[in-house]
Amino acid sequence: MTSSEITVLRAILSKTNDVSFDVESNHADIHLPTWQIWGCSFCCEDEKIYIDLSKKGAEKTIRKMFRLLLKQGRVLVAHNIKFDLRALRKAGIIEEYPPASQIADTMVGMNLLDENITEKELGLKPLVSKLFGYVVVDWKTAVEDGRFSPKFIEYSTNDSQFVFDLWIKKVKLGLEEQKLMKLFHSICMAELIYSADLEDIGVPWSVDRAQILIDKFTAFKNEKETAIREILGYDINLNSGDQLAEKLFVDLKFPTTGIPKTKSGARYQVNEDVMETLAVRHPICLSILEYRNSTKMINTYLEPNNERAKAAADGRLHPNIWTVSKTGRKRMNNPNFQNQPVIKDKELNIRACVVARKGYKLLTCDLSQIELRFCAHISRDAEMIAAYTNWQCRKCNSEGVSIKYLKCCPNCGEIANEKTIKDDKFIGFWHGLDIHQMTADATGLPRNLSKSTNFAAIYGASAWKMVQQFGVHT
């Protein structure tokens, strides 16, 4: 370290304000064997510096900087800080993630202040360009002359400066004015650290099991393709919406009542929703859905996950967990483990490719009727609220109301048993009622269809769609 660099570091440590930082690396895929950390920049007020990790003693200096800043109680700020923290831990510069009270992510903060900002607009470059008029250089341009070039060093220190300004002038100020700072640290930043841990650990994926499923889905897809072509013709391109629409609605004269057209109005749509509604009365549409589904299982889930697992240094999948969204719900990509398909056939179950390592077991958890509980809370519907607050015990013949979930009867201690709400003759205790079964009792539908209609109503499905899909009138 040069004397001027040491002077800047001491100046940053002598201040009391929050400190922004930015980690530089050769690419963003931390779990790949090719990933390398290059350096780290710091900024506090008018002081900023980039420390190149290729220099002697640089790693020790960066490690000491983070330790001292945290000891001082300073808040560490970054844009998409989850990546920077993961990079530091991967490189061995920090052993544990800082407490949630001492980190701040400007990207998450902006999302909290305005959930309508799009994902593209939440990037550091578009934010500071729009808010402050800063001229921003992208990473590819900055690294053109190499990682040791003055242009790249300026790029990194500028990024730290941009983050510091964004935090002090916009995000921190906004969170304090809207009294959201406590929520930001106790919920958003705590959740971010939890997500970082999940990304680091990853998910064990059986490549061998996935390959077996690829072979099975391929055979099933080929079988369905043959069956479809026997009816629609061997010259049809099954991936062409135009050709498929012409065969179904022109040649075979399938009914078009309620079937939407494409945006151009040139033809009727043949998407998944349309095929599902038509499949109730036209088996060929079910075969088309099964053909498409098999293709999707192979191309969207199995083959990409196998490639990711083979590429990762530890052979595991490490999905990206996004902590910003319009709804507040976290999401994943590469791969999206929130959207892995549920297949009841054990021989084709993709989720079975997620395996527990030796000596461990997989635990599946679910929130009980969480959407309906939200509906009860928001609507304040008396019957819905009663369904979740009333309790009864058939062992001691007592009943009552409690907003706190009870695991046993408060009078006799009888442990809760779900059979109580499913079997009138069963003697036991249960807190709440089964709204899906209540819908079934009221409509005369099977419980599985009642559950689907409840969710269809919540998410705004039309009466026509429900008639077509369930084959019943609502």
Side-chain angles (χ1 to χ4, degrees), residues 350-367:
I350 289 180
R351 295 189 175 198
C353 295
V354 176
V355 293
R357 59 181 172 175
K358 190 175 181 180
Y360 288 79
K361 291 184 178 181
L362 292 176
L363 177 65
T364 302
C365 302
D366 189 21
L367 295 171

Side-chain angles (χ1 to χ4, degrees), residues 375-390 401 433 435 438:
C375 285
H377 176 74
I378 295 169
S379 69
R380 309 309 297 167
D381 181 82
E383 191 169 355
M384 288 190 76
I385 292 174
Y388 290 118
T389 57
N390 290 359
V401 176
L433 299 174
I435 288 186
M438 292 170 65

Side-chain angles (χ1 to χ4, degrees), residues 160-175:
S160 290
Q161 180 72 64
F162 297 157
V163 172
F164 183 84
D165 291 348
L166 180 60
W167 172 246
I168 296 296
K169 298 177 181 179
K170 179 67 178 178
V171 181
K172 185 177 183 179
L173 190 64
L175 293 174

